[in-house]
Amino acid sequence: ILSAAGVNTAVIPTALLSTHTGEFTGYTHLDLSDQLSPITAHLATLGLHFDAFYSGYLASGAQVEQILSMLDQLCDSETHIFVDPAFADHGRRYSLIDESMPAQMRRLCARANTIVPNLTEAAFLLDLDYASLSGGGKEGLELARALSEGGRRSVVLTGVSSGEEMVGAACYDRASGWI
């Protein structure tokens, strides 16, 4: 999508999956953790400036440390850091994700300018009981504000319901304080 919009991208895959792990069985999974450091080292030699850095699905909580190292090596104060936590949905972690991921993902989100969690990931990040969340619009706005860490980062919280048949997003903009 970014390339189609005319944005130059440098894709660094963290894992290869044959299918989505939530709806299929018998899938294959190849963790690419051993490639992240060499890729980062190579990119660092190129002297490139990255306007933005986007992190999505990570194969394990241990990969968070590698992504944090990438940020240190490849980003500067002008690089906008986006994090899509991408580790849980429908009240539970993805099948390949271990218990360390929420705590590790909190560390990565702390470095972000913008985070894009879904309602389940928000519950994990805020250490809330997902079953107790209504997912309603007002609650979604409160969750977005809480995820902003006092306005330090922008938040797009997906999966917020504004009606029985309406699902959308709650947003908090750190620059304007608009929610």
Side-chain angles (χ1 to χ4, degrees), residues 9-16 30-48 50 53 63 66-67 69-71 73-74:
T9 60
V11 178
I12 305 170
T14 59
L16 296 176
L30 177 62
D31 183 328
L32 296 173
S33 294
D34 64 336
Q35 295 302 306
L36 298 181
S37 291
I39 290 170
T40 303
H42 172 70
L43 289 173
T45 67
L46 301 177
L48 301 172
F50 292 95
F53 186 100
Q63 277 190 350
Q66 292 177 291
I67 300 303
S69 177
M70 282 181 164
L71 295 176
Q73 294 177 63
L74 301 176

Side-chain angles (χ1 to χ4, degrees), residues 105-128:
M105 196 54 71
R106 281 184 207 107
R107 293 178 60 222
L108 182 55
C109 287
R111 292 281 300 273
N113 301 102
T114 304
I115 63 170
V116 189
N118 63 36
L119 200 56
T120 298
E121 292 154 351
F124 276 111
L125 292 171
L126 294 170
D127 202 21
L128 299 173

Side-chain angles (χ1 to χ4, degrees), residues 15-30 57-59 86-89 92-97:
L16 296 176
L17 300 159
S18 59
T19 61
H20 190 285
T21 62
E23 291 134 32
F24 300 99
T25 59
Y27 53 81
T28 63
H29 173 260
L30 177 62
Y57 176 82
L58 300 179
F87 69 89
D89 208 356
R92 58 185 164 74
R93 292 183 320 275
Y94 296 150
S95 61
L96 295 171
I97 301 300

Side-chain angles (χ1 to χ4, degrees), residues 82-167:
F82 292 90
V83 174
D84 179 349
F87 69 89
D89 208 356
H90 306 293
R92 58 185 164 74
R93 292 183 320 275
Y94 296 150
S95 61
L96 295 171
I97 301 300
D98 66 26
E99 292 177 358
S100 74
M101 185 59 92
Q104 293 287 52
M105 196 54 71
R106 281 184 207 107
R107 293 178 60 222
L108 182 55
C109 287
R111 292 281 300 273
N113 301 102
T114 304
I115 63 170
V116 189
N118 63 36
L119 200 56
T120 298
E121 292 154 351
F124 276 111
L125 292 171
L126 294 170
D127 202 21
L128 299 173
D129 176 27
Y130 172 79
S132 71
L133 300 178
S134 70
K138 184 175 181 181
E139 178 184 67
L141 295 174
E142 291 169 8
L143 292 169
R145 183 175 286 122
L147 288 163
S148 78
E149 290 195 347
R152 288 196 353 244
R153 62 178 173 231
S154 295
V155 178
V156 178
L157 175 60
T158 63
V160 175
S161 174
S162 57
E164 194 168 304
E165 294 185 24
M166 299 176 70
V167 178

Side-chain angles (χ1 to χ4, degrees), residues 77-81 110-115 148-155 171-179:
S77 63
E78 300 298 314
T79 304
H80 192 99
I81 299 169
R111 292 281 300 273
N113 301 102
T114 304
I115 63 170
S148 78
E149 290 195 347
R152 288 196 353 244
R153 62 178 173 231
S154 295
V155 178
C171 304
Y172 174 85
D173 178 59
R174 76 180 187 155
S176 68
W178 177 80
I179 191 160

